[in-house]
Amino acid sequence: MKRFVGFVVLALIAVLPVPVASASVAKPYVADRQTKIDVMGEWAHPDDDTSIIGPCGVWHQRYGVKCGVIQVTRGEGGGNAVGNELGPDLGLRRENEDRVAHYRSGTVDIFNLDRIDFFYNQSAPLTQYFWDEEETLRRVTRVIRETQPEIYIGFTPTLAAGHGNHQQAGRLIWEGVIAAADPNRFPEQLKGPHALSTWQVKKVFSGGSTAGTGGTTTAANCTTGFTPTGLDTVAGVWTGYDSPYKWPAGNLQGQPAGTAKIWQQIADEGRSAYPTQSRVMFKGTSVPACSRFGMTESFVPFQPNSSPQAGLDEAILFGATKPDPGGLPLGTLEYLTFSRFYNVAGESFQATVHLKAPSGKLAKGNIELTVPAGWTTDGPQPVPEKSTADITFTVTPAANAPVDQNAKVAARYTTAHASGYTDNVVRIVAAAEGRFQRWGNWQEYDQWLQNTAPQANRLGRSQAIQSMGIGQTIDLPVVVHNWSAQQQSGAVSLDLPADFTVDAPSKPYDLQPGADATVTFKLTNTDTSLPANQNVSIPIRTATGSETLTLTLVPTTVIPQAAPVIDGKAEPGEYPGPTLDLGRIWQGAATCTGVDDCGVSSTGEGSTAKVSWSDDALYFFVHVRDDYQSYAVTPAECVGHWQADSVEILLDPRGNASKALKDTANTFKLGIFPFTQSGGPCWERDADNHQGYSSGSLDTGNAPGVQVASTAQWVGSNETTVPHAYAGGGYDLEVKIPLADLPAAVDPTRLGLNITPYDNDDTSAAGTTTLRHIDMSTRLAWSALGSVQSDPYRWGLATLPGYTPPADRPTTPAPPNVSNPNLNGALSPQTIAQSARNGVPISGRVPTSDLKILSAELRGNAVEIVTSSSGAGTARAFLTTGQLGAIPVWTTSCSPAADPAPDYGLTPCAVTDGGIPPWSPDMSGHLVKQSSQQISHGVQHWSIPLTAAQRATLSADGRLLVSYETPQNEVQAFDVQLSRR
C-alpha cells in the first residue's frame, strides 16, 4: 500500500503522507505505480546519465517500464558556458537541463540528493569527505526503499570511473543495494508513521563489460548472436524503433515532416541538451544503435548470452519486471555465492545456490552446476519443497587453471515445468601472489572491496601505480600473500626497463598458508631527461605469478633564490634557474591549428617557464606560444579558466597530496586569464584547497598578495570578423605567489609543481561569428599526462635550496573550502513538484506530515494561504505557471505548431538555431514569484502580494508549490492549483 495519497481540502489537491493505522503487525510497504520505478539509474552529475535516454524510451514505450534517476549532485561546481549562474543558481539550471534530456523517454522522476558538487578529482575518499558518506547512503537507501526499483544501472565503482564523484556514485549503487535489503541499515526508515520495508534490487549493471562480437545495430533484438568476450552477461536494446515524436516541417536535417524520429535521435538530442556544459544543439540525423549493458550482480534467474532469448530487446527485464522465459514465477530469487572469491588452482572451495519462492513453496526439482573445462564439482542436488533453499556444492578448479583470470560457475534449477539459470565468477590467483604495495586511492579502493562490497571484486582490484622524479631513487615495496593451503617459498624479482637499476636482482619469501610478507627494493632511474612517454612498465614476478607496475616519470627542477620585479619581463639575473618546457600536450591535440599553435612554432620557439623564490614567495615567468586570441572574459567569468586562453600554476606544498587521499584539495592552483574585456589579466583558484574568485571586485580573499603582469592585449572584440592574432605570436606572464597562500608550509625538498597552459582558438558556433566562453581547449603542461590537473602525484617535483618556511606555519593543510554551496532541494520548484506528485521526500530526506494547506486563493492582488500545522518550520512558496517538467534549453525557428510540446524546441530549422533562451531570474518566465513563511503550531493565514501583471499570469494556470522543512530537517511538498475569488 502506498502511504502518500491525495488529500483534498476546500477543492485543493495536496500530496500529504497519511499515517498507517495501528496494527499488531504492520503491512509491508508496497510502492504504488505513481512511485514505483522499474529501472533506476544513479550518477553523480546532470549529463552523466545520458546513456539511458534511448533505452528508457524504448523500454517505456514498448514494455511499460518506468525509469528513474538518482542524481547525487546538481552539478553546481561545474562551469557555465552560457550564463552567470554559479553555485545553487547553476544547480537549478542544470537540474532543468537534465529533466529536458530525459523527459521524452518517460523518465520524469529525477531524485536529486543535494550533495555538494565540487571540482574534478580522482579520489572517492575526497568525495566521501565532501558528501558526508553516511548521510548520502541514507538518502540513497530511502529512495530505493520508497521506489522499489527492480534494476539498477550506473557508473562502475572502480578507479576506472575517473572522476572521484563518479567512483563514489558507482560505489553507492553497490552499497545502496546492500543497505536497502538489510533491516539493520537505517532501521529508522522501517518504522513509524512513514515506515518503509526492506527491498531487494534484482539486477545490477555497474562496471560490467559490454565487449564482444556479433549482434547488430540495424535491426530489432540487436543482441541476438552477440558473444561477450568477457564473463558478464550482456543485455542490449535497439534504439532504431520509431518514437512518438515527429520531425517538424522545415527541419534542418531535411527529414519528411510528420515522420517519426527514431529513439536514437531522441537520445542524441537529449545528450546535447546541456548548454551550460559547453554542449551545443544536436543538428544531425541519428542512425540506429544497440545500447548494451554488462550485468555484474543478479538475484533472479536470467538468460545467458548463449540463449536466443538473451538477444531480445527486453532481455534485461527478464526475472525482474517480466517473467524469465525459463518459466519460474516472477519474483523467484536465484543467485550463487562462494566461500571465497580468490582461489588457487587445484584447491577446492564451496559454491552455494540460494533459492526463494515469491510465495508458497519452491517447486520440486534439482540444481546442477556447470564449471569450466577441467574443473570438478558435485553432481545434481535436489531442491526441497520449501519457501527457501541454500544448496552447497564443492568445486575444485583444474590444476592448470590460468591465474589472474576470472572463471564462471553457472547453476541451473530445473523443475518438471520450468528452469532458471544463474551464474557468478571467482578468480584464480597465484599461490604466492606478489603485488606492489598499494597506497593512496588504490589502497583505499581495495579496502572497500574487502570490507564493504566483496561481490564487486569481480570488477578487479586496483592497478599498481607509482611515480618518481627522473634521476631519483625510491623504495618499491612488494607484498607477497600465500593464498594456498601449503607453504610457499621463492623469490620476488623485477623486470627492469632501460635506464633503471635495483639494489638486488631478487629477494626471497617463505610463507605459511594465509600469511603475508613485504620485500622492498631500492629502484633508481639513471636518466635525468624526461622521456617522451612518461609511463614505463615494470613486471613484478614471484615463483607462481606476476603483476605489472605502471611507473610514471615526472620532471624535476631546482628553484634558485632571486628577486624578480613583477613587470612582465624576465630581466637578467631574475630567473637564473633552468627553463621548463611547457610544450607537451596532454589533452586536445586534435584541435591545434597551424604551425604556430599549441605551444610550438615553425621556428622552434615554444611555451616555456622559469621559476625563482625570494622572501617567502615564488616567482614565475611564463612564455606562451599561441597564434589565436580566445574569447575575453568578463570579471564574472573569471572562473573556469579552461574555457578561454589561460595558464594554471599548480603547487602541492608537501608533495604528498595524493598519498593523503585529498588530491588537489591539499594544493594551491591558480588559474590566470592573460587578458579580459576590461583590459588586464584576472585570476582565480580552482579545484584546490580554497577555490573561487581571486582578483578584482569579486575577490574572495583566497590568494592575498598574488601579483600578475601580462603582455597580452585584448584585440577589443569577441567577433571573429576582427583579427585575433597575438602580437608577437603569444604572450608572457609574470606571477608572484606568496607561499603563505598555500594550504601548508612548503617542504623545500619536495614541492609538487606543474604549469599548464590552456589554448582555446575559434569557439564560435556554426553559422555565427561570436566567440564563446566554452571549453574547446588544448591543454599543455610541464608534466603532461591525462587528467594531470587532478593528480598531484603526476606533477613535477622541485627543490628550493636555502628556503626554510616560517616555524609557525602548519605542515598539515587546512580543511578544504569549495566556496559554492549546493542547492537545497526545498528551493527547487521542479523538485518540489516531483515530490508532491510521487510522494518521495525531497532529496531523500526524512518525511513529515506536520503541515496541511487548508486553502490557497488568488484574492485581489495577492495569494492568500491558510495552513494548519502540528509543529514549527519554514514554508517556501513558489508561484509558477506553465509546464515545469522540462523548460526549453534552446531557441529554434521551427514553428511551435509543427514542433509542439513535449518536443520542446530540440529540433533546428536553421543553421543559426541553438541559441540560449533567458533563464535567470525566473526560470524562463515559469517562476512568477517566491516567498517564505515561518510556520508555527496551529492555524496560520499568510499572504503573498502580487503586481497586476503577476496576478494576470497566475490567473491563467497558476500553481502554488510549497516545500516545508522542520528544524529536524524533515520535509514535505505540496502542489496546489490556485483557486480564485
Side-chain angles (χ1 to χ4, degrees):
M1 180 186 72
K2 175 66 179 159
R3 287 195 274 278
F4 296 91
V5 299
F7 179 76
V8 182
V9 178
L10 299 179
L12 303 175
I13 299 177
V15 179
L16 298 170
V18 177
V20 178
S22 61
S24 57
V25 179
K27 292 182 179 180
Y29 166 82
V30 178
D32 65 18
R33 199 57 197 159
Q34 186 64 250
T35 305
K36 171 77 174 177
I37 298 294
D38 299 305
V39 178
M40 182 72 82
E42 182 189 302
W43 287 275
H45 316 99
D47 77 16
D48 290 343
D49 52 359
T50 58
S51 61
I52 66 166
I53 295 173
C56 283
V58 174
W59 296 329
H60 182 66
Q61 181 187 37
R62 296 181 65 82
Y63 313 119
V65 164
K66 187 168 72 167
C67 290
V69 173
I70 294 176
Q71 202 63 268
V72 185
T73 82
R74 288 181 176 81
E76 295 94 338
N80 186 350
V82 295
N84 292 328
E85 298 90 0
L86 293 173
D89 291 336
L90 178 58
L92 196 68
R93 187 167 192 171
R94 291 196 68 183
E95 177 184 344
N96 177 67
E97 290 176 342
D98 207 34
R99 292 183 183 277
V100 170
H102 290 275
Y103 194 84
R104 291 179 296 170
S105 66
T107 305
V108 296
D109 290 312
I110 297 180
F111 304 94
N112 290 280
L113 301 185
D114 295 359
R115 302 293 84 188
I116 190 167
D117 179 44
F118 60 102
F119 50 78
Y120 181 79
N121 66 90
Q122 297 201 73
S123 171
L126 179 62
T127 300
Q128 295 160 15
Y129 171 87
F130 279 118
W131 281 3
D132 186 349
E133 180 183 13
E134 186 74 356
E135 175 60 22
T136 304
L137 180 58
R138 185 189 310 276
R139 295 185 183 196
V140 167
T141 302
R142 178 176 288 280
V143 174
I144 293 174
R145 288 172 172 172
E146 290 265 7
T147 62
Q148 299 185 331
E150 309 291 341
I151 298 168
Y152 215 151
I153 294 174
F155 281 132
T156 178
T158 69
L159 279 73
H163 196 325
N165 290 183
H166 297 175
Q167 295 173 36
Q168 186 62 21
R171 291 192 192 188
L172 286 167
I173 293 173
W174 295 82
E175 294 178 22
V177 168
I178 294 169
D182 184 354
N184 297 312
R185 290 296 274 146
F186 310 117
E188 73 281 359
Q189 297 178 358
L190 307 176
K191 56 191 176 184
H194 309 289
L196 304 171
S197 300
T198 58
W199 179 252
Q200 180 63 69
V201 173
K202 308 307 186 300
K203 292 183 176 182
V204 178
F205 295 79
S206 166
S209 170
T210 59
T213 59
T216 183
T217 60
T218 60
N221 302 318
C222 61
T223 307
T224 300
F226 178 81
T227 302
T229 54
L231 300 181
D232 299 327
T233 296
V234 176
V237 56
W238 191 55
T239 56
Y241 291 107
D242 286 347
S243 78
Y245 306 106
K246 311 297 183 183
W247 287 100
N251 65 83
L252 183 65
Q253 292 92 331
Q255 298 298 303
T259 58
K261 294 181 177 180
I262 63 170
W263 276 110
Q264 188 59 46
Q265 183 73 32
I266 302 301
D268 290 336
E269 291 172 354
R271 190 175 293 111
S272 299
Y274 300 88
T276 64
Q277 302 310 294
S278 299
R279 302 196 187 184
V280 296
M281 187 183 206
F282 182 69
K283 299 178 182 179
T285 304
S286 302
V287 297
C290 187
S291 297
R292 295 194 173 109
F293 304 87
M295 187 169 69
T296 46
E297 192 165 24
S298 179
F299 296 92
V300 294
F302 58 88
Q303 295 296 304
N305 284 110
S306 58
S307 164
Q309 289 93 339
L312 302 179
D313 289 329
E314 70 264 40
I316 196 171
L317 309 175
F318 292 156
T321 70
K322 295 172 69 74
D324 182 73
L328 293 176
L330 184 65
T332 300
L333 299 187
E334 179 184 8
Y335 58 99
L336 186 60
T337 62
F338 304 110
S339 58
R340 65 180 192 176
F341 179 77
Y342 295 104
N343 292 281
V344 175
E347 296 191 2
S348 300
F349 62 92
Q350 279 65 54
T352 300
V353 180
H354 307 270
L355 297 169
K356 182 178 182 180
S359 61
K361 297 180 180 180
L362 295 163
K364 183 178 180 181
N366 64 54
I367 287 281
E368 185 171 9
L369 295 190
T370 300
V371 295
W375 294 35
T376 61
T377 186
D378 309 55
Q381 296 193 34
V383 174
E385 294 182 81
K386 297 181 178 179
S387 60
T388 64
D390 299 314
I391 301 168
T392 299
F393 298 78
T394 297
V395 177
T396 305
N400 62 349
V403 299
D404 297 329
Q405 291 185 22
N406 288 357
K408 181 182 290 186
V409 177
R412 186 170 290 278
Y413 167 37
T414 304
T415 73
H417 304 290
S419 71
Y421 172 92
T422 190
D423 63 41
N424 204 346
V425 301
V426 295
R427 188 168 184 84
I428 302 300
V429 293
E433 183 185 44
R435 301 180 77 222
F436 170 71
Q437 188 175 64
R438 301 311 198 253
W439 62 283
N441 294 326
W442 299 271
Q443 179 186 48
E444 190 274 344
Y445 172 70
D446 284 355
Q447 291 172 343
W448 178 80
L449 288 177
Q450 179 179 347
N451 301 326
T452 303
Q455 172 64 12
N457 271 294
R458 68 179 290 151
L459 304 177
R461 291 172 287 180
S462 67
Q463 293 179 302
I465 303 286
Q466 183 57 286
S467 65
M468 68 181 298
I470 55 174
Q472 296 185 345
T473 297
I474 62 168
D475 285 343
L476 197 160
V478 178
V479 179
V480 186
H481 179 77
N482 183 358
W483 290 102
S484 76
Q486 291 81 39
Q487 184 175 358
Q488 297 290 328
S489 299
V492 181
S493 61
L494 308 178
D495 291 355
L496 296 179
D499 303 322
F500 285 88
T501 61
V502 71
D503 62 333
S506 64
K507 299 198 175 187
Y509 61 84
D510 187 8
L511 297 171
Q512 295 299 314
D516 289 327
T518 301
V519 297
T520 301
F521 295 87
K522 290 285 186 183
L523 181 71
T524 300
N525 174 233
T526 58
D527 189 352
T528 58
S529 60
L530 189 66
N533 184 355
Q534 291 182 236
N535 288 330
V536 297
S537 297
I538 300 181
I540 301 171
R541 303 191 186 279
T542 63
T544 56
S546 68
E547 82 163 357
T548 298
L549 169 68
T550 298
L551 183 68
T552 297
L553 290 168
V554 302
T556 61
T557 193
V558 176
I559 300 176
Q561 185 174 9
V565 175
I566 303 301
D567 57 6
K569 303 174 184 178
E571 300 292 355
E574 288 188 328
Y575 296 95
T579 299
L580 311 184
D581 176 13
L582 308 184
R584 290 170 171 252
I585 297 173
W586 53 280
Q587 280 184 11
T591 60
C592 293
T593 61
V595 295
D596 291 312
D597 196 10
C598 294
V600 298
S601 77
S602 58
T603 61
E605 180 193 8
S607 296
T608 60
K610 286 178 171 289
V611 190
S612 296
W613 73 268
S614 178
D615 297 329
D616 202 35
L618 286 175
Y619 294 81
F620 298 82
F621 183 81
V622 181
H623 170 70
V624 176
R625 186 76 192 185
D626 195 359
D627 68 339
Y628 192 94
Q629 190 178 102
S630 77
Y631 175 89
V633 301
T634 65
E637 293 167 329
C638 192
V639 288
H641 56 270
W642 54 90
Q643 297 183 115
D645 286 352
S646 65
V647 171
E648 186 174 41
I649 298 172
L650 307 89
L651 300 169
D652 177 3
R654 308 301 299 173
N656 66 353
S658 294
K659 186 175 181 179
L661 296 177
K662 288 294 180 68
D663 284 9
T664 60
N666 276 6
T667 72
F668 176 97
K669 297 174 64 183
L670 190 73
I672 304 163
F673 296 81
F675 59 90
T676 63
Q677 291 186 29
S678 58
C682 70
W683 51 97
E684 47 90 33
R685 288 179 63 178
D686 177 77
D688 73 348
N689 188 256
H690 190 176
Q691 69 176 26
Y693 294 100
S694 303
S695 63
S697 60
L698 300 175
D699 185 358
T700 57
N702 59 4
V706 166
Q707 299 177 35
V708 177
S710 173
T711 63
Q713 298 295 317
W714 184 36
V715 299
S717 174
N718 281 325
E719 291 297 314
T720 59
T721 53
V722 171
H724 275 260
Y726 280 101
Y731 59 90
D732 296 331
L733 292 176
E734 195 166 18
V735 183
K736 175 185 177 182
I737 299 176
L739 293 178
D741 289 353
L742 275 58
V746 164
D747 179 350
T749 67
R750 187 179 173 84
L751 170 67
L753 167 67
N754 212 357
I755 302 171
T756 58
Y758 291 75
D759 177 22
N760 281 258
D761 290 333
D762 186 349
T763 57
S764 59
T768 70
T769 61
T770 303
L771 295 177
R772 296 171 294 171
H773 187 213
I774 189 171
D775 182 14
M776 295 175 63
S777 58
T778 299
R779 304 177 180 193
L780 302 91
W782 179 41
S783 184
L785 293 156
S787 296
V788 73
Q789 83 274 30
S790 64
D791 291 330
Y793 77 95
R794 289 173 159 175
W795 298 355
L797 295 171
T799 58
L800 286 72
Y803 174 75
T804 301
D808 60 349
R809 187 165 296 164
T811 57
T812 300
N817 181 342
V818 296
S819 297
N820 289 326
N822 52 294
L823 177 67
N824 176 356
L827 296 174
S828 167
Q830 290 177 315
T831 291
I832 297 166
Q834 175 182 300
S835 179
R837 171 177 51 79
N838 65 21
V840 181
I842 293 169
S843 316
R845 290 152 65 181
V846 178
T848 182
S849 53
D850 281 1
L851 186 67
K852 295 178 175 59
I853 297 181
L854 303 179
S855 65
E857 295 180 328
L858 272 171
R859 186 183 302 172
N861 283 331
V863 171
E864 304 291 344
I865 303 169
V866 181
T867 61
S868 174
S869 180
S870 58
T874 301
R876 295 183 175 89
F878 300 84
L879 299 171
T880 67
T881 183
Q883 170 56 259
L884 277 185
I887 300 169
V889 298
W890 306 120
T891 59
T892 178
S893 57
C894 295
S895 163
D899 190 27
D903 220 39
Y904 294 104
L906 292 166
T907 308
C909 283
V911 70
T912 54
D913 285 353
I916 312 301
W919 172 260
S920 294
D922 58 3
M923 298 176 64
S924 293
H926 291 266
L927 177 60
V928 178
K929 191 168 184 178
Q930 63 188 75
S931 180
S932 64
Q933 177 73 24
Q934 292 303 307
I935 298 295
S936 56
H937 178 80
V939 175
Q940 226 172 320
H941 297 251
W942 43 294
S943 178
I944 303 175
L946 302 173
T947 66
Q950 289 170 335
R951 178 189 166 84
T953 299
L954 293 171
S955 294
D957 63 350
R959 301 195 71 83
L960 170 68
L961 301 174
V962 174
S963 66
Y964 177 67
E965 296 177 286
T966 72
Q968 293 75 39
N969 205 31
E970 300 161 329
V971 289
Q972 204 171 348
F974 303 85
D975 183 351
V976 178
Q977 177 71 52
L978 291 171
S979 62
R980 298 163 185 80
R981 176 178 293 185

